Amino acid sequence: MDLQHWLREATRSHQEWAAGHGPYAPHPSLAVDDERFAEAFGEFTERLKDNYPFFHPRYAGQMLKPPHPAAVVGYLSAMLINPNNHALDGGPATAAMEREVIERLAGMFGLTTPLGHLTTSGTIANLEALYIARELHPGRGVAYSTEAHYTHGRMCRVLGVEGHAVPVDGRGRLDTTALEELLRTGRIGTVVLTAGTTGLGAIDPVDEVLGLRERYGVRIHVDAAYGGFFTLLAGAAGEAGLDPAPWRAIAGCDSVVVDPHKHGLQPYGCGAVLFADPGVGRFYLHDSPYTYFTSQELHLGEISLECSRPGAAAAALWLTFRLLPPTPEGLGRVLGAGRRAALRWAALIESSEVLELYQPPELDIVGYFPVTDPYALSAVDRAGERMLRQGMTDDDPVFVSTLQVSAAAFTARHPKITADAGGARVLRSVLMKPEAEYAVGDLHTRVEALAVRE
């Protein structure tokens, strides 16, 4: 699609709509002439150049990529109106769009009658899920794996809830034996399972833990902020297909969080929280004397901890889903490309003499490290840090990231390494852009060259 053309169409459509409400005189206090704007805009665009090329396949560092052009046009079109999805009187059109995209997200996970809404981030979405958990199980704690996102421990402190970090297995997934031992104490009210850890993309055994819910009377919350859209590859044919068991089990859990601003092709920030039981809406009940007056329908602000939320986020996601729906044939093709890229790079690393795979990728994140002499944690750490810096500063750069892992985690996967330090940084590449599928060979060659450079 021609982005420039559709951006012009967005402004034309807005001007046409605005003209239908009659003329008015803009206030002179808001006037900015083109000459002044040109000067400020020139400075602005120069400052924006101080960014890494998140759009390029050669950027394989953090979880960053531009939104789809459809999302850009959708966001701008709605932003020109600037609706607030807190109440129907603040954004009737985009509130309706939000309900529709929430239905699509819920359907993606197999939830049938959910309560949910968009949020500004996965952090806020998880906060809401843990808030509901606290209200339903007062005085009981929250369990999450040691590889879960740090937001869970932090939000437990915000909510005044006791957080319990549970050990993981040799692939970074929550250890069910350790979890059950903790559950027997009766101190836990909610278990958080991660479907795609942000470190390495590990998938907790949702299907196995779901069987413990009734036995111990706990809620199951799934943090699928990063990995949620990979449910579209559950049971798929071909090398990109994933074991369907943990993904299908999400439909039986109590709540789930997913971030459309990661694999849903949206601009930051666009998260979402979904509750299987719409009855939890009672914990959001409040009154607002100056909103909620245009409709007897449920306003989104009545089921959200956040107040003002951009209607433009719902508009962008709605337009994107019209073109690339959250189905195996839609967004699933995008996810499949990143998954194949990760598997193919892992295969190249396994045959390399200068790189070693940290662990097999489960989604689209590849962890690896340089082969060093001596074969020791301290040497791996130094070499990894050097490769990161040299890759970024080359005349023809390549961008990766690092992940700090403990000595115990490293030696569990690579027992022959000398544990002469408390841990080491391994290299980590996030292949979330589908173009990575075509760039893996080049990425591998560049990273191998960094590994042998002094």
Side-chain angles (χ1 to χ4, degrees):
M1 57 180 283
D2 184 342
L3 179 59
Q4 292 188 356
H5 167 74
W6 291 110
L7 289 175
R8 288 193 297 270
E9 282 297 296
T11 57
R12 184 202 60 77
S13 175
H14 173 75
Q15 289 166 356
E16 183 180 276
W17 170 79
H21 293 274
Y24 69 96
H27 197 277
S29 66
L30 300 174
V32 174
D33 63 54
D34 283 332
E35 184 176 351
R36 285 184 61 215
F37 182 81
E39 181 182 355
F41 188 70
E43 179 185 354
F44 170 73
T45 53
E46 280 301 312
R47 294 192 69 166
L48 282 181
K49 292 176 183 177
D50 183 22
N51 268 305
Y52 300 117
F54 305 133
F55 68 93
H56 202 286
R58 198 180 301 155
Y59 182 87
Q62 303 292 357
M63 298 169 174
L64 293 163
K65 63 179 179 180
H68 192 276
V72 174
V73 175
Y75 201 101
L76 174 69
S77 299
M79 185 180 64
L80 290 170
I81 302 170
N82 205 23
N84 180 351
N85 271 19
H86 175 70
L88 288 172
D89 29 303
T94 52
M97 291 180 187
E98 180 165 344
R99 289 198 180 93
E100 292 172 31
V101 298
I102 286 297
E103 288 180 8
R104 299 301 300 268
L105 291 171
M108 184 176 76
F109 291 113
L111 300 173
T112 54
T113 57
L115 182 79
H117 58 87
L118 298 181
T119 65
T120 51
S121 67
T123 298
I124 296 300
N126 277 307
L127 171 63
E128 295 212 16
L130 295 185
Y131 161 71
I132 294 297
R134 185 193 69 179
E135 298 303 291
L136 286 166
H137 290 297
R140 296 172 69 184
V142 175
Y144 43 83
S145 86
T146 54
E147 296 295 315
H149 197 277
Y150 63 84
T151 192
H152 295 292
R154 186 166 64 177
M155 291 308 168
C156 281
R157 293 192 294 273
V158 169
L159 292 166
V161 174
E162 190 175 31
H164 301 263
V166 179
V168 295
D169 64 16
R171 291 172 59 184
R173 304 172 302 178
L174 183 138
D175 186 315
T176 55
T177 301
L179 172 65
E180 188 161 14
E181 184 178 342
L182 177 61
L183 293 179
R184 290 193 190 103
T185 67
R187 298 166 60 191
I188 302 301
T190 298
V191 176
V192 175
L193 301 172
T194 305
T197 59
T198 50
L200 292 166
I203 305 162
D204 284 342
V206 183
D207 50 319
E208 298 176 26
V209 177
L210 192 59
L212 303 176
R213 181 173 59 181
E214 298 305 320
R215 188 184 311 169
Y216 295 101
V218 295
R219 287 178 62 80
I220 304 295
H221 169 60
V222 179
D223 179 1
Y226 182 72
F229 282 94
F230 278 96
T231 191
L232 300 173
L233 301 182
E239 62 179 321
L242 295 169
D243 176 8
W247 302 101
R248 299 287 186 259
I250 293 176
C253 295
D254 297 288
S255 55
V256 59
V257 159
V258 63
D259 275 358
H261 64 212
K262 292 193 173 75
H263 285 103
L265 308 180
Q266 298 306 292
Y268 284 96
C270 183
V273 60
L274 305 165
F275 297 99
D277 176 15
V280 301
R282 67 188 184 275
F283 295 110
Y284 290 102
L285 287 178
H286 65 280
D287 187 30
S288 177
Y290 54 90
T291 55
Y292 311 148
F293 59 84
T294 60
S295 172
Q296 294 302 309
E297 293 183 55
L298 186 68
H299 297 256
L300 291 165
E302 295 179 274
I303 54 166
S304 169
L305 290 183
E306 290 182 275
C307 294
S308 297
R309 294 179 304 110
L317 186 56
W318 186 91
L319 185 56
T320 304
F321 278 1
R322 278 295 304 271
L323 302 162
L324 293 167
T327 62
E329 300 77 21
L331 280 174
R333 296 176 60 213
V334 181
L335 276 290
R339 167 83 173 135
R340 289 189 296 272
L343 293 173
R344 292 172 188 176
W345 196 359
L348 289 171
I349 292 171
E350 286 186 314
S351 63
S352 174
E353 295 181 356
V354 296
L355 297 174
E356 191 166 344
L357 196 64
Y358 179 69
Q359 74 173 45
E362 293 196 54
L363 299 179
D364 59 2
I365 302 175
V366 184
Y368 52 99
F369 59 94
V371 176
T372 59
D373 184 14
Y375 190 58
L377 292 181
S378 60
V380 166
D381 184 77
R382 287 193 300 271
E385 196 277 337
R386 173 187 57 77
M387 292 170 65
L388 172 73
R389 300 300 170 192
Q390 289 180 344
M392 293 168 62
T393 55
D394 268 359
D395 291 337
D396 195 16
V398 61
F399 301 87
V400 298
S401 61
T402 59
L403 174 69
Q404 181 73 39
V405 299
S406 68
F410 206 121
T411 55
R413 293 163 173 82
H414 302 276
K416 293 183 179 180
I417 197 160
T418 301
D420 62 343
R425 285 167 287 187
V426 298
L427 295 168
R428 167 179 170 272
S429 288
V430 180
L431 305 179
M432 67 189 307
K433 294 181 287 290
E435 293 83 2
E437 185 172 18
Y438 307 132
V440 162
D442 179 60
L443 283 170
H444 181 70
T445 299
R446 289 169 180 272
V447 174
E448 276 199 320
L450 290 172
V452 298
R453 188 188 304 178
E454 291 299 328

